[in-house]
Amino acid sequence: MSTPVLEHPRESDRLDPAAFADAAASERDVAPLRAAIDRSCRGPVLWFFGSAVTWLIIGTVFALLASIKLHTPTFLGSAAWLTFGRVRPAHLDVVAFGWSAMAGLGCLIWLMCRLCRVPLRYPGVLVAAAVLWNVGVASGVTAVLAGYSTGVEWVEFPTWCAFILFIGFALVGLWGMMTFAGRRAGHVYVSQWYLFAVIFWFPWVYASVQILVLVSPVKGVTQESIHWWFGHNVLGVFFTPIGLATIYYLIPKVIGRPIHSYYLSILGFWSLALFYNWAGAHHLVSGPIPAWLVTVSAVCSMMMFIPVTTTAINHHMTMRGHFGVLRYSPTLRFVVFGAMTYTVVSFQGSLMSIRILNEPFHFTHHTIAHAHLGLYGFYTMVMFGAMYYIVPRLTGREWASSKLIRTHFWATAIGITAMFLLLSVGGMIQGFEMNHAARPLGELVKEKGLLDGTGEFFKGFKMKNGAVPFLAIVRDTIPWLWIRSGTGVLMFVGHVAFAVLMLLNLTGRGPKRQGPTLFSKDTDGYQRAFGSEESPAHTH
Amino acid sequence: MSDVTTKPALDPESVAPADGPPEKHDVAALHAPIMREKLDPRDGYEPVPLWLVAAFGILVFWGGWYLATYSGGFRSDVLDEDPAVRYAGMAGNAGGAGGTDPVVLGSRIYSGNCVSCHQQSGQGVPGQYPPLAGSEWVAGSPARLARLILHGVEGPIQVKGAAYNSAMPPLGGKLTDGQVAAVLTFVRTNAEWGNTAGAVTAEQVAAARAATRGRAAPMTEAELLAVTAEDVAPATKPAAGGGAPK
Amino acid sequence: MNHGPLIFLGAFLTFASAWLGLVFFPNQQLKDLQPQAVEGSAMVNPRPYTARELAGRDVYVAEGCSYCHTQQVRGGEYNADLQRGWGPRRSDPQDYVHDNPVLLGTMRTGPDLVNVGARFTGEAGTRWHYLHLFNPQRVSPGSTMAPFRFLFETRKVVGEPAADALRFPADWTAADGAPEAGHEVVPTDRARALVAYLAALDRTYEIAKK
């Protein structure tokens, strides 16, 4: 059965106002289709989003516990299941595979339907995937807390839990390919390339690390090369492409402008595909592995400047002249915050893979700060923005409280910025002290009396070479760890605000609103920024 | 379908059915978020800026240089951040133990093997582990010291007028002759500890090892004190530090 | 860029290149590594783990020790790993041939452990480890290591005290965990296994030049 292929109006059509108007008119007709798509997406996407936000709260609680235990190790110190070595991986796995993955898959599903211009078919398959994913994460986290972690960072879940996750992902992937094959849009938009790539790449990396490191391990340190190829690729070929796909959709969507350059999109996509997944061994600089492995990863990590700069220019030039919209739109504010952070954290990461810049920061809290800037400052903020956009379209209800949205934004934005900056400082201090003599040893000993009375075994302990004693390094990082706990509390407040908003929206409680829930109540300014509601073809 | 227009504007149920081609409805019947949506994302066609291409070209050039310089010939035995890494094709550097200065090597071996009992200060632990600083044993015969390290010590032993009776494990299976010589040199020449004896060579350790080959038990104080004569090296060779005769 | 098959092919080739580079080729280079023989004995370096040491490694993994401790002495000129006495030489791929999983670690909230078995030896080392695991803050003031008191049990002394009951220094109080009179603190099997594993972490042997 032949269905009309719906083309986007192209900028070149401006030269022919009639063609442009026709295209714009056909866009108006797309509104019922959009409504149909949204209605069909409702069950599966809300399953993923609702689960994701629940995991976010749980993961943030684990995060606070881990953070507190780093400076106050006796806090809840007698509970075996909460010992730092278990609650820290529990935090990582919940926020990665619970919150981040499920938020991302929810976005993937909705974006695929919208961009393919077809309503969602076989919702039962996707709901089953969501249920399986929840089961996998819940059982995996329980196993970690009970002491059955595999000991491989990012892959702590026992293999049988990972298998459940794999099946869930495979269901979403198959659905995605079928939906793509049945698309009604003639032109494949850049977001779809990224989502398509995720569907294909993630099962490959996940299966590889499970088989080659856990089930039938390769011998020796090659395990660590594969391990960190996976660890970096969770960010590189799962979360980053979904985040970029979402940004590429939402920025032009909210402001009504085309993406600046199709050619930059192509350059950005293929350079990311080529370079990102070579970068893994930069986690192993100076490690017991062949030097060439670290070098190729360092080179490809630096090559990442290409896709990141390209994407940054594309997004910035699209936004140019419309930054005023950021005052009003929660979606855009979260998404643009994430997009800008993507540029910053990627530049930082590329530079840190050069050996001389890696050595002071390796094994320190600086790395942790960088990881949070990426997975939270970029990806999580983009996911927040996406949920602010998508959920009202699925439930038909606007967000209940502008105040809660403002709380959410400022708490999380200030929280992650402070956490990144201040924890990085702590990590730099840690790294420099670990690598060099920071102060003359005699001065340290006199000042703090650190080395006296540390137990009979170490009486008279003295470092002959002037390096900073390890316990002094620990002592010097503690204030920064306290600050990090504070920023974590702030972020938790933001998450609670968001969870309340989600709950109110999903259950239909809270004040009923007519228009969008925005940051600012200045409706005239909003009208000027967004243009008339009657005109979906927003001309600049 | 015809009664769609009479339904309230915000009722999601008024939306078109999930399948079938889109139909023309009164758009006011569709819910508000859809209504205020802008055009779907579409592509602009601005060209790639030339300066960007040039910048990327420079980056690729840098990458090629870095790859050529720091890959160690793509060998598996050139490990990351060994000096040999800097020069492609150079022989592998398996160890990097800090050059040929036996005192430096010895101090590292000491830190890795001896510090837990004899302490970083060389003072030992009173009543438990004897000191090395100012010890008459350290200043004595290298042949005796080599045997002490190779086979360990058991039983009562007097050091600097105090009695000790702990067991020192043998290290002959773990350390090469060069390493034993280095750590002995480090201890014997350590001025901070008040030790001013001379260096020990790998040949002296090798001779001691050869003279006691097959011995399984640790040394006792009496056996050690009976070692008075220096062992003769099998052939005269210039003293070398840090090497490992195998 | 409108063709699914084209995107698929490109995605496959770009990704396969990295799979070759970071998975396949390293394995080709390193899969035949063997421990090296010690001249004149049946020993190999590194020696394989005993069953108890493997049980101890499972405890190390389960309790997440890798999240604070690395097991690699770094090479290179910019760090102080060797000066800190963490080993006589940098770590080598050969050191890890018996390790499953390889626990290189990524954070140094605590010191490197790959040669901890050479720094803490024999019975004295074992006793230090027990006390330190039981109450790290008391043994190393300022330490932020998690207390692993749950790896020990406090019980009434029945007959003779246990051989490996913890020997508390005289100045430890009940708040530090010292048991009351007539009681002793003994390590559980998990603690014994863990300390056996830590004692086996000794990679100070010299690498034979190939």
Side-chain angles (χ1 to χ4, degrees):
Chain A
M1 137 169 156
S2 80
T3 49
V5 169
L6 303 162
E7 291 290 346
H8 299 287
R10 290 151 58 111
E11 276 303 291
S12 53
D13 291 343
R14 282 184 199 283
L15 302 169
D16 178 1
F20 196 73
D22 276 346
S26 82
E27 276 286 338
R28 255 195 299 275
D29 294 338
V30 169
L33 173 64
R34 284 197 197 124
I37 292 173
D38 288 352
R39 185 159 173 255
S40 66
C41 282
R42 187 176 180 187
V45 176
L46 289 180
W47 255 98
F48 275 97
F49 282 176
S51 309
V53 176
T54 311
W55 287 119
L56 178 69
I57 299 294
I58 296 174
T60 314
V61 169
F62 285 147
L64 286 173
L65 284 174
S67 183
I68 292 171
K69 279 162 177 287
L70 266 181
H71 53 70
T72 310
T74 48
F75 178 69
L76 299 179
S78 51
W81 64 286
L82 285 180
T83 191
F84 177 79
R86 297 191 202 183
V87 83
R88 189 266 201 212
H91 157 66
L92 173 66
D93 292 330
V94 166
V95 296
F97 295 104
W99 154 250
S100 300
M102 297 193 86
L105 291 174
C107 286
L108 183 152
I109 293 168
W110 186 80
L111 286 173
M112 263 301 186
C113 289
R114 277 294 192 105
L115 287 167
C116 294
R117 316 286 196 123
V118 287
L120 188 150
R121 295 178 67 201
Y122 308 116
V125 169
L126 294 176
V127 171
V131 169
L132 278 176
W133 199 273
N134 276 321
V135 167
V137 175
S139 52
V141 168
T142 308
V144 167
L145 292 174
Y148 293 100
S149 158
T150 61
V152 183
E153 198 173 340
W154 288 93
V155 204
E156 290 96 347
F157 289 171
T159 300
W160 61 269
C161 303
F163 188 68
I164 296 175
L165 293 181
F166 191 86
I167 302 291
F169 191 94
L171 290 174
V172 177
L174 284 168
W175 171 91
M177 292 198 288
M178 277 173 35
T179 305
F180 185 78
R183 68 189 181 281
R184 283 202 213 146
H187 180 69
V188 179
Y189 185 61
V190 53
S191 296
Q192 288 168 289
W193 315 335
Y194 283 107
L195 297 176
F196 200 81
V198 167
I199 289 173
F200 178 56
W201 287 336
F202 184 69
W204 187 344
V205 281
Y206 204 34
S208 290
V209 74
Q210 289 289 330
I211 293 171
L212 297 173
V213 177
L214 294 177
V215 174
S216 177
V218 298
K219 184 192 275 196
V221 286
T222 310
Q223 286 181 26
E224 287 286 45
S225 176
I226 300 172
H227 170 203
W228 285 108
W229 173 73
F230 171 77
H232 201 79
N233 277 349
V234 175
L235 201 58
V237 307
F238 187 13
F239 297 140
T240 297
I242 293 185
L244 292 178
T246 309
I247 300 173
Y248 266 114
Y249 186 89
L250 287 174
I251 288 184
K253 184 60 150 155
V254 170
I255 63 177
R257 293 273 301 140
I259 278 288
H260 177 70
S261 169
Y262 175 68
Y263 308 111
L264 285 177
S265 302
I266 291 190
L267 177 61
F269 175 74
W270 288 114
S271 51
L272 184 143
L274 181 59
F275 295 129
Y276 211 145
N277 54 96
W278 275 92
H282 69 217
H283 293 262
L284 298 167
V285 174
S286 284
I289 58 171
W292 67 262
L293 194 50
V294 173
T295 297
V296 299
S297 282
V299 167
C300 291
S301 303
M302 285 293 286
M303 289 301 134
M304 283 301 294
F305 269 106
I306 298 179
V308 171
T309 315
T310 304
T311 312
I313 293 176
N314 224 0
H315 294 158
H316 179 81
M317 295 302 283
T318 308
M319 277 293 296
R320 205 160 73 141
H322 296 264
F323 283 97
V325 180
L326 290 173
R327 260 168 92 215
Y328 302 99
S329 166
T331 299
L332 200 65
R333 205 187 275 197
F334 275 102
V335 166
V336 170
F337 184 99
M340 290 180 174
T341 308
Y342 173 65
T343 309
V344 170
V345 73
S346 299
F347 282 3
Q348 182 202 20
S350 293
L351 290 170
M352 283 211 313
S353 59
I354 308 289
R355 291 171 171 95
I356 192 169
L357 293 173
N358 183 286
E359 292 269 2
F361 306 127
H362 203 29
F363 304 140
T364 68
H365 296 291
H366 188 99
T367 308
I368 305 292
H370 168 74
H372 281 87
L373 192 66
L375 199 55
Y376 191 95
F378 155 50
Y379 181 78
T380 293
M381 296 300 261
V382 170
M383 287 296 109
F384 285 149
M387 288 186 184
Y388 274 115
Y389 193 80
I390 298 171
V391 172
R393 282 159 177 74
L394 302 182
T395 61
R397 285 183 285 270
E398 305 293 351
W399 296 105
S401 160
S402 175
K403 189 167 190 171
L404 278 177
I405 300 182
R406 283 200 300 276
T407 306
H408 177 208
F409 177 76
W410 289 113
T412 53
I414 294 177
I416 184 61
T417 308
M419 176 188 177
F420 169 68
L421 290 174
L422 300 169
L423 191 62
S424 293
V425 172
M428 278 191 261
I429 292 174
Q430 183 187 11
F432 278 116
E433 290 191 342
M434 206 187 302
N435 285 351
H436 304 289
R439 281 173 281 180
L441 183 69
E443 187 189 302
L444 245 184
V445 172
K446 257 186 277 180
E447 185 192 333
K448 296 289 176 184
L450 186 72
L451 302 175
D452 298 324
T454 57
E456 178 192 5
F457 209 78
F458 279 103
K459 255 205 179 70
F461 180 88
K462 200 164 68 173
M463 298 282 291
K464 290 181 77 262
N465 46 48
V468 181
F470 204 89
L471 285 172
I473 304 177
V474 173
R475 180 204 63 206
D476 289 344
T477 51
I478 285 182
W480 306 98
L481 296 175
W482 273 100
I483 294 174
R484 189 264 298 271
S485 290
T487 63
V489 169
L490 197 55
M491 286 150 80
F492 184 61
V493 166
H495 297 165
V496 169
F498 184 58
V500 168
L501 282 168
M502 278 289 280
L503 202 59
L504 290 176
N505 193 299
L506 292 178
T507 55
R509 296 204 182 89
K512 300 281 182 290
R513 292 169 169 269
Q514 295 287 338
T517 316
L518 301 172
F519 278 119
S520 162
K521 294 192 168 53
D522 171 14
T523 44
D524 288 338
Y526 161 66
Q527 292 288 0
R528 277 194 304 275
F530 276 101
S532 158
E533 285 200 7
E534 291 312 303
S535 151
H538 177 82
T539 54
H540 180 45
Chain B
M1 311 303 163
S2 56
D3 59 345
V4 162
T5 53
T6 62
K7 289 210 170 135
L10 287 177
D11 180 359
E13 300 307 309
S14 68
V15 160
D19 46 351
E23 302 181 0
K24 289 192 165 30
H25 293 282
D26 181 350
V27 289
L30 301 167
H31 57 142
I34 301 280
M35 280 310 303
R36 60 176 184 269
E37 271 189 44
K38 302 263 184 287
L39 289 170
D40 261 4
R42 59 208 186 279
D43 293 303
Y45 290 90
E46 300 299 318
V48 177
L50 203 55
W51 63 264
L52 194 66
V53 177
F56 293 159
I58 294 172
L59 187 62
V60 171
F61 186 78
W62 171 89
W65 167 81
Y66 195 85
L67 200 59
T69 310
Y70 289 94
S71 296
F74 289 91
R75 297 167 59 115
S76 63
D77 58 350
V78 177
L79 301 184
D80 192 44
E81 278 252 59
D82 285 331
V85 170
R86 309 284 150 116
Y87 304 100
M90 203 159 140
N93 179 356
T100 52
D101 181 0
V103 172
V104 174
L105 174 62
S107 90
R108 291 193 184 137
I109 294 171
Y110 185 85
S111 296
N113 293 278
C114 320
V115 105
S116 56
C117 297
H118 292 294
Q119 306 302 305
Q120 196 76 26
S121 62
Q123 298 291 345
V125 177
Q128 266 191 290
Y129 306 118
L132 304 176
S135 160
E136 68 275 25
W137 290 83
V138 169
S141 146
R144 176 184 303 138
L145 285 173
R147 284 163 170 75
L148 194 155
I149 298 215
L150 291 173
H151 300 289
V153 183
E154 208 175 58
I157 187 168
Q158 289 263 347
V159 182
K160 288 176 79 173
Y164 299 88
N165 197 351
S166 301
M168 171 165 155
L171 291 164
K174 200 163 74 158
L175 299 178
T176 63
D177 295 340
Q179 290 174 320
V180 174
V183 73
L184 283 174
T185 301
F186 163 71
V187 171
R188 282 162 58 90
T189 61
N190 195 328
E192 256 190 51
W193 295 356
N195 294 341
T196 50
V200 175
T201 66
E203 281 71 23
Q204 287 172 307
V205 178
R209 197 192 285 267
T212 55
R213 195 176 296 282
R215 184 193 177 99
M219 310 290 294
T220 63
E221 185 181 28
E223 286 170 329
L224 284 169
L225 287 173
V227 177
T228 49
E230 292 300 321
D231 292 312
V232 177
T236 39
K237 273 190 242 177
K246 276 225 179 264
Chain C
M1 280 281 289
N2 287 338
H3 300 287
L6 173 70
I7 305 174
F8 176 85
L9 189 64
F12 175 82
L13 289 174
T14 50
F15 204 72
S17 70
W19 190 88
L20 283 174
L22 267 64
V23 176
F24 184 73
F25 284 132
N27 193 43
Q28 287 301 108
Q29 285 196 330
L30 298 175
K31 65 179 167 35
D32 294 322
L33 270 178
Q34 299 291 340
Q36 69 188 36
V38 175
E39 190 185 301
S41 83
M43 250 176 53
V44 291
N45 275 325
R47 69 162 175 78
Y49 295 110
T50 65
R52 165 174 273 195
E53 289 158 3
L54 288 175
R57 185 175 70 192
D58 289 344
V59 177
Y60 187 99
V61 159
E63 301 305 336
C65 304
S66 285
Y67 298 107
C68 287
H69 292 283
T70 57
Q71 282 186 19
Q72 48 174 304
V73 177
R74 283 189 283 183
E77 303 167 348
Y78 304 116
N79 62 74
D81 286 19
L82 292 172
Q83 286 86 331
R84 286 192 172 278
W86 284 338
R89 60 164 173 82
R90 53 121 0 116
S91 292
D92 189 274
Q94 191 179 288
D95 296 338
Y96 303 93
V97 290
H98 299 305
D99 289 336
N100 276 308
V102 174
L103 295 163
L104 288 184
T106 53
M107 269 292 285
R108 281 180 179 166
T109 317
D112 185 83
L113 295 183
V114 78
N115 289 314
V116 70
R119 294 197 291 277
F120 294 92
T121 53
E123 205 187 305
T126 300
R127 294 199 180 281
W128 186 89
H129 276 306
Y130 284 148
L131 272 184
H132 181 244
L133 285 165
F134 185 76
N135 192 336
Q137 282 67 47
R138 196 65 176 81
V139 171
S140 304
S143 164
T144 54
M145 172 153 150
F148 284 94
R149 217 171 274 202
F150 57 87
L151 288 179
F152 300 85
E153 52 171 310
T154 306
R155 63 179 190 200
K156 221 171 148 94
V157 180
V158 177
E160 288 291 311
D164 57 4
L166 271 56
R167 293 203 195 134
F168 292 93
D171 54 350
W172 283 39
T173 64
D176 300 324
E180 57 191 31
H183 287 75
E184 60 181 1
V185 176
V186 288
T188 59
D189 277 341
R190 294 184 84 221
R192 290 194 195 101
L194 175 62
V195 172
Y197 169 70
L198 293 176
L201 286 178
D202 179 346
R203 304 285 180 268
T204 55
Y205 67 91
E206 188 172 303
I207 298 275
K209 293 209 188 318
K210 302 174 184 71

PDB file of all heavy atoms in Angstrom, chain A residues 420-434:
ATOM      1  N   PHE A 420      32.199  19.079  39.399  1.00  0.00           N
ATOM      2  CA  PHE A 420      33.285  18.884  38.455  1.00  0.00           C
ATOM      3  C   PHE A 420      34.485  19.749  38.802  1.00  0.00           C
ATOM      4  O   PHE A 420      35.617  19.274  38.905  1.00  0.00           O
ATOM      5  CB  PHE A 420      32.808  19.189  37.028  1.00  0.00           C
ATOM      6  CG  PHE A 420      33.936  19.250  36.046  1.00  0.00           C
ATOM      7  CD1 PHE A 420      34.641  18.104  35.727  1.00  0.00           C
ATOM      8  CD2 PHE A 420      34.333  20.450  35.491  1.00  0.00           C
ATOM      9  CE1 PHE A 420      35.707  18.153  34.853  1.00  0.00           C
ATOM     10  CE2 PHE A 420      35.395  20.505  34.609  1.00  0.00           C
ATOM     11  CZ  PHE A 420      36.088  19.358  34.295  1.00  0.00           C
ATOM     12  N   LEU A 421      34.233  21.048  38.985  1.00  0.00           N
ATOM     13  CA  LEU A 421      35.358  21.960  39.207  1.00  0.00           C
ATOM     14  C   LEU A 421      36.102  21.619  40.495  1.00  0.00           C
ATOM     15  O   LEU A 421      37.329  21.529  40.515  1.00  0.00           O
ATOM     16  CB  LEU A 421      34.850  23.402  39.259  1.00  0.00           C
ATOM     17  CG  LEU A 421      34.364  23.965  37.926  1.00  0.00           C
ATOM     18  CD1 LEU A 421      33.743  25.336  38.106  1.00  0.00           C
ATOM     19  CD2 LEU A 421      35.507  24.031  36.918  1.00  0.00           C
ATOM     20  N   LEU A 422      35.353  21.424  41.581  1.00  0.00           N
ATOM     21  CA  LEU A 422      36.018  21.269  42.872  1.00  0.00           C
ATOM     22  C   LEU A 422      36.636  19.886  43.039  1.00  0.00           C
ATOM     23  O   LEU A 422      37.736  19.761  43.570  1.00  0.00           O
ATOM     24  CB  LEU A 422      35.026  21.590  43.986  1.00  0.00           C
ATOM     25  CG  LEU A 422      34.522  23.037  43.862  1.00  0.00           C
ATOM     26  CD1 LEU A 422      33.354  23.302  44.791  1.00  0.00           C
ATOM     27  CD2 LEU A 422      35.651  24.009  44.157  1.00  0.00           C
ATOM     28  N   LEU A 423      35.955  18.858  42.576  1.00  0.00           N
ATOM     29  CA  LEU A 423      36.546  17.525  42.689  1.00  0.00           C
ATOM     30  C   LEU A 423      37.780  17.423  41.794  1.00  0.00           C
ATOM     31  O   LEU A 423      38.737  16.713  42.123  1.00  0.00           O
ATOM     32  CB  LEU A 423      35.530  16.449  42.320  1.00  0.00           C
ATOM     33  CG  LEU A 423      35.944  15.016  42.642  1.00  0.00           C
ATOM     34  CD1 LEU A 423      36.142  14.845  44.133  1.00  0.00           C
ATOM     35  CD2 LEU A 423      34.890  14.035  42.140  1.00  0.00           C
ATOM     36  N   SER A 424      37.783  18.134  40.658  1.00  0.00           N
ATOM     37  CA  SER A 424      38.974  18.145  39.806  1.00  0.00           C
ATOM     38  C   SER A 424      40.159  18.742  40.538  1.00  0.00           C
ATOM     39  O   SER A 424      41.286  18.269  40.406  1.00  0.00           O
ATOM     40  CB  SER A 424      38.708  18.937  38.534  1.00  0.00           C
ATOM     41  OG  SER A 424      37.773  18.289  37.728  1.00  0.00           O
ATOM     42  N   VAL A 425      39.901  19.809  41.295  1.00  0.00           N
ATOM     43  CA  VAL A 425      40.994  20.410  42.068  1.00  0.00           C
ATOM     44  C   VAL A 425      41.535  19.391  43.068  1.00  0.00           C
ATOM     45  O   VAL A 425      42.745  19.197  43.200  1.00  0.00           O
ATOM     46  CB  VAL A 425      40.513  21.679  42.789  1.00  0.00           C
ATOM     47  CG1 VAL A 425      41.585  22.192  43.730  1.00  0.00           C
ATOM     48  CG2 VAL A 425      40.149  22.755  41.782  1.00  0.00           C
ATOM     49  N   GLY A 426      40.627  18.730  43.776  1.00  0.00           N
ATOM     50  CA  GLY A 426      41.066  17.709  44.729  1.00  0.00           C
ATOM     51  C   GLY A 426      41.879  16.622  44.044  1.00  0.00           C
ATOM     52  O   GLY A 426      42.906  16.176  44.556  1.00  0.00           O
ATOM     53  N   GLY A 427      41.427  16.233  42.856  1.00  0.00           N
ATOM     54  CA  GLY A 427      42.152  15.201  42.123  1.00  0.00           C
ATOM     55  C   GLY A 427      43.516  15.676  41.665  1.00  0.00           C
ATOM     56  O   GLY A 427      44.478  14.909  41.650  1.00  0.00           O
ATOM     57  N   MET A 428      43.620  16.945  41.300  1.00  0.00           N
ATOM     58  CA  MET A 428      44.919  17.462  40.876  1.00  0.00           C
ATOM     59  C   MET A 428      45.896  17.470  42.036  1.00  0.00           C
ATOM     60  O   MET A 428      47.065  17.104  41.889  1.00  0.00           O
ATOM     61  CB  MET A 428      44.757  18.873  40.315  1.00  0.00           C
ATOM     62  CG  MET A 428      44.301  18.887  38.884  1.00  0.00           C
ATOM     63  SD  MET A 428      44.402  20.512  38.146  1.00  0.00           S
ATOM     64  CE  MET A 428      42.723  21.052  38.300  1.00  0.00           C
ATOM     65  N   ILE A 429      45.419  17.890  43.183  1.00  0.00           N
ATOM     66  CA  ILE A 429      46.276  17.868  44.375  1.00  0.00           C
ATOM     67  C   ILE A 429      46.733  16.438  44.644  1.00  0.00           C
ATOM     68  O   ILE A 429      47.917  16.160  44.863  1.00  0.00           O
ATOM     69  CB  ILE A 429      45.520  18.435  45.587  1.00  0.00           C
ATOM     70  CG1 ILE A 429      45.272  19.932  45.395  1.00  0.00           C
ATOM     71  CG2 ILE A 429      46.286  18.172  46.874  1.00  0.00           C
ATOM     72  CD1 ILE A 429      44.399  20.545  46.464  1.00  0.00           C
ATOM     73  N   GLN A 430      45.778  15.524  44.577  1.00  0.00           N
ATOM     74  CA  GLN A 430      46.097  14.126  44.827  1.00  0.00           C
ATOM     75  C   GLN A 430      47.151  13.625  43.857  1.00  0.00           C
ATOM     76  O   GLN A 430      48.121  12.955  44.242  1.00  0.00           O
ATOM     77  CB  GLN A 430      44.813  13.307  44.694  1.00  0.00           C
ATOM     78  CG  GLN A 430      44.941  11.841  44.979  1.00  0.00           C
ATOM     79  CD  GLN A 430      43.656  11.092  44.647  1.00  0.00           C
ATOM     80  OE1 GLN A 430      42.735  11.623  44.028  1.00  0.00           O
ATOM     81  NE2 GLN A 430      43.581   9.838  45.038  1.00  0.00           N
ATOM     82  N   GLY A 431      46.967  13.962  42.589  1.00  0.00           N
ATOM     83  CA  GLY A 431      47.879  13.464  41.567  1.00  0.00           C
ATOM     84  C   GLY A 431      49.268  14.056  41.690  1.00  0.00           C
ATOM     85  O   GLY A 431      50.273  13.345  41.592  1.00  0.00           O
ATOM     86  N   PHE A 432      49.331  15.362  41.905  1.00  0.00           N
ATOM     87  CA  PHE A 432      50.654  15.970  42.029  1.00  0.00           C
ATOM     88  C   PHE A 432      51.399  15.432  43.240  1.00  0.00           C
ATOM     89  O   PHE A 432      52.598  15.182  43.188  1.00  0.00           O
ATOM     90  CB  PHE A 432      50.539  17.485  42.091  1.00  0.00           C
ATOM     91  CG  PHE A 432      50.391  18.111  40.734  1.00  0.00           C
ATOM     92  CD1 PHE A 432      49.242  18.797  40.386  1.00  0.00           C
ATOM     93  CD2 PHE A 432      51.382  17.985  39.783  1.00  0.00           C
ATOM     94  CE1 PHE A 432      49.097  19.354  39.124  1.00  0.00           C
ATOM     95  CE2 PHE A 432      51.247  18.534  38.515  1.00  0.00           C
ATOM     96  CZ  PHE A 432      50.100  19.217  38.185  1.00  0.00           C
ATOM     97  N   GLU A 433      50.679  15.258  44.343  1.00  0.00           N
ATOM     98  CA  GLU A 433      51.357  14.743  45.532  1.00  0.00           C
ATOM     99  C   GLU A 433      51.792  13.305  45.333  1.00  0.00           C
ATOM    100  O   GLU A 433      52.822  12.882  45.843  1.00  0.00           O
ATOM    101  CB  GLU A 433      50.447  14.872  46.759  1.00  0.00           C
ATOM    102  CG  GLU A 433      50.256  16.309  47.180  1.00  0.00           C
ATOM    103  CD  GLU A 433      49.579  16.444  48.530  1.00  0.00           C
ATOM    104  OE1 GLU A 433      48.960  15.470  48.992  1.00  0.00           O
ATOM    105  OE2 GLU A 433      49.689  17.526  49.124  1.00  0.00           O
ATOM    106  N   MET A 434      50.978  12.560  44.577  1.00  0.00           N
ATOM    107  CA  MET A 434      51.338  11.168  44.369  1.00  0.00           C
ATOM    108  C   MET A 434      52.571  11.058  43.492  1.00  0.00           C
ATOM    109  O   MET A 434      53.381  10.154  43.645  1.00  0.00           O
ATOM    110  CB  MET A 434      50.166  10.411  43.729  1.00  0.00           C
ATOM    111  CG  MET A 434      50.196   8.940  44.034  1.00  0.00           C
ATOM    112  SD  MET A 434      48.966   7.995  43.131  1.00  0.00           S
ATOM    113  CE  MET A 434      47.449   8.763  43.623  1.00  0.00           C
TER     114      MET A 434
END
